Amino acid sequence: MHPPSPFRTLKSLMTCALMTFAAISHAQQVLRVTAIPDESPTELARKFAPLGKYLESRLGMKVEYTPVTDYAAAVETLVNRKVDLAWFGGFTFVQSSVRSNGKTIPLVQREEDMAFKSVFITAKDSGITKLEDLKGRTLSFGSQSSTSGHLMPRNFLLAAKIDPDRDLKRVSFSGAHDATIAAVASGKVDAGALNISVWNKFVEDKKVDTNEVRVIYTTPAYYDYNWTVHADMPAALREKITQAFLDLNQNTPEGAEILKLQRATKFVTTRAENYVGIKAAAENAGLLK
């Protein structure tokens, strides 16, 4: 039996290389996207649909949205490269950075996320008018991994010398901002803490009666949500994604629709250093492991 000729060996190697390249190229034709479930699955899907179509047209590749069951799953799917792009809160970005040894990169955030806020709400007849009145009462946060629904509200409570675990009668977690509003409105809890953007949207859409449920405290501003990728994503693709978000404009019908659904005036670039304060707050509250 004759050994294969150098030509046949080279041809075989080239064929394998081409097949590998084709497989990689095919894999890169799909951008897999997820988001922390800070609202109901139907609302998240509705908000993402026009953005997904826009990204497909700008990137020249298919965009697939994959919902996850909880915040931790969103972090793990990006860290383990099961998705390529994730919508994170500030805290979930910090968690992803810690879990990946700094291999997640925040690309863009809404302009609003440079100075985001949380609100504490309560029923009008609760007798609660300030943070100090929460002592001995029941309070609902959102998800345990939520920046605006748990970490920062807890941080500001601690700053006001109120320890939620010692000074409140009971602390619960609704899982999402809209669920927190529902818990307060139905009387399941005396008060709730949530994302100001979701609260304002509910008020705008008349999904909450402000004569029955009201804001008692608005937190100071902090950095929050962003779109994050894994550092292993090719730089060229990262740049195309970033530019696609930066190019969204309220003066075009498509841009206006997407920005309204994303509750944004525009997107701006961001960087990991912006979330140092979030990390410090998480460590201070004992929430970062």
Side-chain angles (χ1 to χ4, degrees), residues 118-123 126 128 131 134 137-142 148-150 153-154 157 168 170-174 176-177 179-185 188-196 199 213-219:
S118 296
V119 292
F120 285 80
I121 61 172
T122 186
S126 68
I128 299 170
L131 290 184
L134 292 172
R137 309 299 288 271
T138 58
L139 172 75
S140 177
F141 291 117
S148 53
H150 179 215
R154 178 180 285 270
L157 282 173
L168 274 61
R170 186 181 76 251
V171 169
S172 57
F173 295 90
S174 70
H177 303 296
T180 298
I181 296 175
V184 174
K188 288 184 178 179
V189 292
D190 297 319
L194 70 146
N195 168 331
I196 193 171
W199 170 256
V213 180
R214 57 193 172 81
V215 172
I216 60 156
Y217 180 75
T218 301
T219 71

Side-chain angles (χ1 to χ4, degrees), residues 23-130:
I24 293 171
S25 297
H26 176 72
Q28 291 179 345
Q29 294 310 305
V30 178
L31 183 76
R32 302 161 301 174
V33 185
T34 197
I36 54 171
D38 58 346
E39 295 182 81
S40 69
T42 52
E43 177 64 7
L44 290 175
R46 183 183 76 87
K47 284 169 57 178
F48 182 75
L51 176 59
K53 290 181 180 177
Y54 169 74
L55 289 174
E56 283 186 342
S57 67
R58 286 296 303 265
L59 303 177
M61 60 198 303
K62 186 177 180 183
V63 173
E64 289 181 353
Y65 176 72
T66 303
V68 290
T69 55
D70 54 35
Y71 283 51
V75 171
E76 291 304 313
T77 53
L78 185 67
V79 169
N80 295 317
R81 297 164 61 191
K82 302 291 185 183
V83 296
D84 308 297
L85 176 67
W87 172 246
F88 282 155
F91 185 28
T92 34
F93 163 70
V94 168
Q95 288 176 314
S96 77
S97 181
V98 171
R99 285 278 296 108
S100 66
N101 294 316
K103 292 203 72 178
T104 53
I105 302 173
L107 298 183
V108 294
Q109 62 186 156
R110 300 171 302 187
E111 188 173 46
E112 289 77 0
D113 293 313
M114 297 172 69
F116 208 75
K117 298 176 182 178
S118 296
V119 292
F120 285 80
I121 61 172
T122 186
K124 70 168 186 177
D125 57 357
S126 68
I128 299 170
T129 61
K130 56 187 183 297

